[in-house]
């Protein structure tokens, strides 16, 4: 991995998050009516923030990256502490399972238990959101050459707030895909799916099979359900010819635009590098310098 592609993961994630933020929850038709094709960082919108503002996706990815960079190892208890510190800043955007898990952590429940308790108390349909896959890509920058370790830390990073196997293995798939991209693997998602296949939930494997093939008829839903987010982000991230088009395409599909944009951006950023991201986007996001520094630190682990 070189610096440009490591930075591409973190900056691609932030750019997708920031482009999608003002149109989160809008349909493709509503975005089209208001913006045509949204390809510029605009202000206000869903969260009434200035242009280029990133959301919880980038904020939590930054907590995770800072922890691993500062401690030179993966320490889920420390990552959980940093999520709580961020939660105490009263972020404008936070997912339901994340909020509940962080509240438990604040009450003194350990990270191994908090996310699991919340998961067990959540009904099917509201127990497998995309709140952990959106923040996990920094781990692929830290552990690109050790799939066993990368799979394990990816799953544990999810368990802090999202203990459902679709979420934990979803994180493993995203990061093993990014790592395979970094190695120049011609079929990175295929490689990732083969790696997790003995243990990962069948529903996840089945949903991502057509995406690995690049099947143009593949279903690409845009909800916050982790499997929907992964289908669409992996498709746009892997099967689009440049990083700007990948992010623009995923955000303009509507739905959970910031998170699908963020995951798409991390994957396409790994393919094309930070230098391929539009300068006008990098100038607008409020996290560029720190994310470049973190990418360089994670790479050196
Ligand atoms: Mg968000």
């Amino acid at each position: 991995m070189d610096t440009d592609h490591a930075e591409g993961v973190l900056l691609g994630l932030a750019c997708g998050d920031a482009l999608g933020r003002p149109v989160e929850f809008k349909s493709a038709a509503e975005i089209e009516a208001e913006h045509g094709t949204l390809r510029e960082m605009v202000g206000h919108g869903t969260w009434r923030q200035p242009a280029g503002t990133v959301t919880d996706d980038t904020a939590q990815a930054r907590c995770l990256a800072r922890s691993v960079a500062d401690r030179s190892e993966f320490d889920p208890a420390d990552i959980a502490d940093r999520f709580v510190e961020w939660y105490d800043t009263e972020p404008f955007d936070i997912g339901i399972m994340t909020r509940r898990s962080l509240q438990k952590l604040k009450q003194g429940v350990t990270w191994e238990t908090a996310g699991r308790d919340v998961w067990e108390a959540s009904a099917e349909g509201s127990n497998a959101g995309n709140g952990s896959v959106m923040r996990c890509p920094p781990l692929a920058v830290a552990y690109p050459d050790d799939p066993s370790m990368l799979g394990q830390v990816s799953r544990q990073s999810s368990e802090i707030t999202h203990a459902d196997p679709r979420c934990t293995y979803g994180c493993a798939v995203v990061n093993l895909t990014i790592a395979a991209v970094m190695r120049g693997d011609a079929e990175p998602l295929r490689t990732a799916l083969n790696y997790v296949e003995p243990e990962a939930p069948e529903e996840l494997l089945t949903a991502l099979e057509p995406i690995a093939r690049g099947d143009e008829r593949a279903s690409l839903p845009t909800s916050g359900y982790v499997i929907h987010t992964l289908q669409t982000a992996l498709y746009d991230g892997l099967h689009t010819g440049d990083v700007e088009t990948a992010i623009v395409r995923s955000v303009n599909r509507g739905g959970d635009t910031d998170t699908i944009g963020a995951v798409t951006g991390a994957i396409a950023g790994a393919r094309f590098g930070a230098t391929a991201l539009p300068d006008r986007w990098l100038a607008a996001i409020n996290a560029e310098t720190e994310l470049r520094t973190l990418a360089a630190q994670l790479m050196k682990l």
Side-chain angles (χ1 to χ4, degrees):
M1 188 194 322
D2 62 28
T3 311
D4 184 39
H5 291 80
E7 290 178 352
V9 174
L10 301 195
L11 291 171
L13 189 152
C15 284
D17 181 13
L19 188 73
R21 187 214 70 249
V23 292
E24 189 179 4
F25 313 125
K26 294 209 192 290
S27 68
E30 287 169 328
I31 295 171
E32 161 92 45
E34 193 173 342
H35 300 281
T37 300
L38 178 63
R39 42 178 82 250
E40 304 303 325
M41 297 289 176
V42 298
H44 310 293
T46 306
W47 297 103
R48 300 173 185 276
Q49 300 289 318
T53 306
V54 296
T55 77
D56 53 341
D57 311 51
T58 304
Q60 288 178 48
R62 193 160 43 186
C63 291
L64 206 162
R66 272 189 200 139
S67 173
V68 177
D70 286 354
R71 302 182 66 83
S72 300
E73 64 173 353
F74 176 79
D75 178 349
D78 183 69
I79 292 166
D81 286 346
R82 291 172 196 248
F83 287 163
V84 170
E85 266 172 47
W86 163 75
Y87 177 60
D88 284 341
T89 67
E90 298 179 8
F92 59 85
D93 183 13
I94 183 168
I96 295 161
M97 293 191 83
T98 298
R99 180 190 298 279
R100 288 185 185 152
S101 299
L102 299 187
Q103 279 167 347
K104 283 192 177 280
L105 287 166
K106 273 176 79 81
Q107 291 159 6
V109 177
T110 64
W111 76 268
E112 292 100 326
T113 310
R116 183 152 293 270
D117 284 354
V118 169
W119 174 52
E120 284 170 355
S122 303
E124 177 59 30
S126 62
N127 58 357
N130 57 16
S132 60
V133 297
M134 70 189 195
R135 68 182 183 223
C136 72
L139 294 169
V141 179
Y143 302 101
D145 300 320
D146 186 345
S148 167
M149 178 77 166
L150 180 57
Q152 183 186 322
V153 298
S154 299
R155 295 199 311 273
Q156 286 185 347
S157 76
S158 182
E159 284 168 19
I160 299 169
T161 56
H162 291 68
D164 189 288
R166 290 166 292 187
C167 304
T168 61
Y169 280 94
C171 288
V173 167
V174 166
N175 279 341
L176 290 166
T177 300
I178 291 173
V181 165
M182 299 284 196
R183 289 194 302 274
D185 190 317
E187 291 192 280
L189 177 54
R190 165 75 51 225
T191 299
L193 293 177
N194 287 346
Y195 198 84
V196 300
E197 197 256 310
E199 292 149 6
E202 193 59 42
E203 189 185 351
L204 179 71
L205 298 169
T206 305
L208 296 181
E209 180 56 36
I211 310 299
R213 287 199 306 270
D215 188 338
E216 288 173 10
R217 296 155 305 168
S219 162
L220 301 176
T222 58
S223 84
Y225 174 41
V226 65
I227 289 185
H228 290 173
T229 295
L230 289 172
Q231 286 173 299
T232 302
L234 284 160
Y235 188 87
D236 285 338
L238 291 171
H239 304 294
T240 306
D242 68 90
V243 62
E244 179 176 349
T245 305
I247 291 172
V248 166
R249 193 169 281 171
S250 65
V251 164
N252 283 272
R253 293 182 192 279
D256 201 348
T257 50
D258 60 331
T259 295
I260 296 175
V263 178
T264 300
I267 296 162
R271 290 174 64 209
F272 300 105
T275 47
L277 284 162
D279 290 337
R280 66 187 198 282
W281 286 1
L282 292 173
I285 60 167
N286 52 0
E288 183 192 354
T289 309
E290 192 196 358
L291 292 175
R292 284 191 197 276
T293 306
L294 285 169
Q297 289 174 331
L298 292 177
M299 258 184 74
K300 290 198 200 103
L301 282 181

